[in-house]
Amino acid sequence: MKEVSDNDLDREIRAHLALETEERIENGVTADEARYAALRAFGNVTRVKEVCYEMRRLTALDHIVQDLRFALRQLQKAPTFAIAAILTLAIGLGVNTSAFTLIYALALRPLPVKDPDRVVSVFQTFYGQFNRQVSGNIHQLSYPEYLEYRDRNQSFQALAAFAEADVSLAGGHTEAGHALLASCNYFDALGVTITLGRALLADECKTPGTAPVAVLSHGFWQRRFGADPAIIGKNIVLNQHALTIIGVAERAFGGTGLRVPDLWVPITMQPMLRPNLPESLQANSSWLNVIGRLKPRLSAAQARADLSRIAQQIDAKYPGRQTVVSVDQGAHLNGPEVRRKGLPLAAAVLGLVGLVLLMACCNVMNLLLARAAARQQEFGLRLAMGAGRARLVQQLLTEGCVIALLGGAVGLLLASWLPQILLAAVSDGGLQLNLKPDLRVFGYGVALSGVSVVVFGLVPALSSTQVDLLSLIKDEATVLGKQIRGSKLRRHLITAQVAGTLLLLVMAALLIRGVWHAQRVDPGFATHDVLSISIDLPQQGYSAQRARAFYRDVGARLRALPGVEAVSVAASLPLAGRHLTSVALEPTSSPAADMLPVHFNVVSAEYFRTLGIKLIEGRSFSADESVSVAPTPAVVSASMARSFWGPGQAVGARFRSTKTTYQVVGVAEDVRNLDLSQRDGPFFYAAASPDELSGAKVLVRASGRTATVAAVVPGVIRGLDGNLLIRVERLEDHIAQLLQPSRAAALLSVLLGLFGVLLASIGVYGVVNYSVSLRKREIGIRMALGALPRDIVTLVVQQGAMPVIIGFIIGGLLAAAASRVISGMLFGLSPLDPMSYTAAAAFLCAAAMLAMYAPTRRAVRLEPTETLRLR
Amino acid sequence: MKRRTGSALLPGTLDLLVLRTLLFGPVHGHGIAKHIQRTSEDVLQVEHGSLYPALQRLERNGWIGSKWEGDERGREMKFYRLTASGRKQLAFEESRWRQLARAMARMLRPV
């Protein structure tokens, strides 16, 4: 395209005027008059030049600036529209960015160390036949494996290992502490600065149990020691072992796990700090997380090949086992297990919040379409004046971008505090995560805004600029043609919104009903009048023998308290832990056959009385039997008695597990030990055996007086040993905690669902309202011809109802498909629970009705004479 | 206010008129103005100045091209001529105009 310069135009105009003047002179006018007439015929010369100049000046950039200004003006002109669109989008974007922030903080955010890009985690996955102890997850490494990898690899500057340990901190009052058992190169490998004192030395990890030293975290140093600058060299007592404090880590370093540790201790102190894992330093046992810093210019894949070579050599010692090593970018949550379980969960969460954003976009699109319809005249005029369609689309998109930008800004604001609240709601404050939005979170928000613009901006911009001069002039045709087509699109949007909202609401209803169901279900044992007491005997170094004596003394003292009816000990609390073994009937015909998996618990004599579990046959064990009688007395569940021996045959029968032989002394009714959603299958209670009792819980029954008893229990127990860490809670509260994840999920989906309802209502209102204004004339004519208000209501509602009904059907089907995913959180409630579907549908239906009410009323109250005069 | 004897142009029609004028060969701005006036028997009055922004816009759209040349009396004038896409545009606008005119005619038919 050739550009015209100012000079060119000047010359052209001068030539034009000269020619015109000349012609007029030839017609016999005087020169002066001719010149004057020529100028008059031309019009305002300066103005023409200005217009041409303006036209040339407006380059692409000018267009953008001009469009921006225009867009802002347009939004100012319609503040309600602007606020509705921006807020809708802000919530949609805010919720999404919040979800991303949480997932990012958990699994993606680089560790708070120097050069986090070079830090990787190492895990193993076993295939084939293998035998492995697991305390943590199976993908973790054993200490011997770690040593092999550390000493023989060629890819890492340093390879460090760590494991968490819950410890008891003595001094003043005993409190629970969180220690990290770390290999002595831990701080060097991560590049963490020790601000006070020194880091661990390699020598301190040589011989197990010989280096009682600790490095404190900055937070713990401040909290527990008031940031004492002379702390180095002082002692701290952990699990009855005195450790010397040698350093304080820098403030920024919050550890490599999800929880910020209080202190780091050499890994070789494991026997003292994590005594419930005997021989871990030698055993073939999964318990260590391993992270390492790669050598420069080496990739994770190269390191993986290197470690795989070593893994093959280790496998040689375990015939039949194949180890696959994985090396991944280091993050707070990591490892194959997290990936397997976490990815679908993250995808589900992002999918749900994405649905909300999509609905928000639908709404904004709806608003834009309605507005575009109202601006058809303007567009038509501008097209007629010679504006290109691309130009109009560009301008409408600019408006969309402004909305998205403002919405995104408010959304990011929302995302800067919403994750904290969600985290607090989900985790009870036990989790500390860095939720500060960084460049990636910011980028995610911006990218999402960009995607939204395309979703909600492009369609209205394209569809509403298809105006032509002809239909603009023939106004009536517009109503019957183009705009109806636009409103079809809007009705599809409503269908999508209603479907999405119903999906969210059904999820919410199911989760609420699930939690409610779980709270009301009778587990079969008393929870209200029972206290559970945890005591940190293993951490305090109690041997099984001492623990047994201790529990006997505790039992005696607690029984003496007023209001206490029964006291017992159990290896784990019902619903809170599982022990699985394989048993066979004794005597058996075939030795190896018929080993059946059965869950069990190890309990003391008064357990059944404490929890109010009825014995149907036989008796419980006596206090003496709990010590060591062979065969070990056991009480079996009615279900086990029935399926193993048949009615009335159980008492006196024997069965054996891999280690122990049991004799049935009684049959207890079936309760819910394993799962709130159903009664246990075969289950048995074994009389307490000495080596299983040091980590046991004490259960106390005190009908109606749990509060007073709970208050004195710690004092009574400390009378036996003043260093113990004691936690007392009602069994009921303990079980309520098990519902926490479901409750959090319910809360989240209720929030999302309500937001969806709001969006869908606005959408329905918009569409119905708009169709009423479009059909004013028609409604007027109908009324003039004698239609009753009822007919008009039918007419209006029909139009609004159709997309809603289709949305209901689609949403219901989607919910039925998607609810299977959460069936694990429903405590036995069917994912197709009719109540939940009905309630969700009814709620949404009511909201849709409400949204249709105002426009319908407006339609009914139209004055026929007025509408007919409308043009 | 002085009343004009001719009618003002409808919006959008100026483009059509300019393109139509150029159908018979290159013409300069002044010639276009004169031609419109003459062929419409002075019914359509074009303010000469308003022609230039229109010409500039048409050129931008690629519908016309321009070149400085001497006219029959040797004056340097800027001549405009129709491009291929201008020809297409003309056909399009013409048909639309016919449609509109037919519609208007039907509307204004004596009852």
Side-chain angles (χ1 to χ4, degrees), chain A residues 366-383:
Chain A
N366 236 328
L367 287 167
L368 281 174
L369 277 171
R371 233 162 69 91
R375 284 166 71 184
Q376 291 272 292
Q377 300 274 346
E378 177 202 329
F379 295 151
L381 204 65
R382 297 180 57 190
L383 285 170

Side-chain angles (χ1 to χ4, degrees), chain A residues 222-301:
Chain A
Q222 286 190 317
R223 200 166 60 243
R224 175 115 177 170
F225 298 100
D228 177 6
I231 191 74
I232 305 304
K234 289 192 179 160
N235 277 356
I236 180 168
V237 178
L238 250 70
N239 292 358
Q240 309 270 293
H241 297 280
L243 303 182
T244 310
I245 295 166
I246 54 163
V248 177
E250 63 182 316
R251 179 201 292 268
F253 183 60
T256 37
L258 279 181
R259 291 157 72 193
V260 180
D262 295 325
L263 37 75
W264 288 268
V265 178
I267 198 163
T268 39
M269 294 299 287
Q270 179 268 334
M272 290 88 228
L273 300 185
R274 225 170 121 162
N276 48 344
L277 295 177
E279 309 291 315
S280 275
L281 290 176
Q282 288 83 40
N284 173 21
S285 152
S286 293
W287 66 292
L288 286 175
N289 290 300
V290 171
I291 52 174
R293 183 176 291 281
L294 293 171
K295 282 182 181 164
R297 286 182 299 283
L298 258 162
S299 71

Side-chain angles (χ1 to χ4, degrees), chain A residues 1-4 8 11-12 15-16 19-20 22-23 26 41-42 48 52 55-56 384 468 470, chain B residues 12 28 30 34 47-49 52-53 56-57 59-60 66 68 73 75-78 80 96 99-100:
Chain A
M1 188 181 14
K2 209 167 84 184
E3 276 299 335
V4 201
D8 204 42
R11 194 175 148 207
E12 198 178 358
H16 179 112
L19 187 56
E20 180 72 20
E22 207 172 295
E23 271 183 19
E26 277 169 17
F42 193 87
V48 167
C52 288
M55 235 154 86
R56 261 176 287 130
D468 50 348
L470 189 68
Chain B
H28 50 69
H30 183 258
K34 287 285 159 192
E47 200 176 54
H48 294 184
Y52 287 92
Q56 189 170 308
R57 189 176 59 236
E59 192 168 7
R60 277 196 151 213
S66 67
W68 284 93
R73 292 203 221 168
R75 271 183 301 248
E76 273 291 288
M77 298 292 286
K78 195 173 182 181
Y80 294 90
R96 283 214 308 184
Q99 245 180 310
L100 177 63

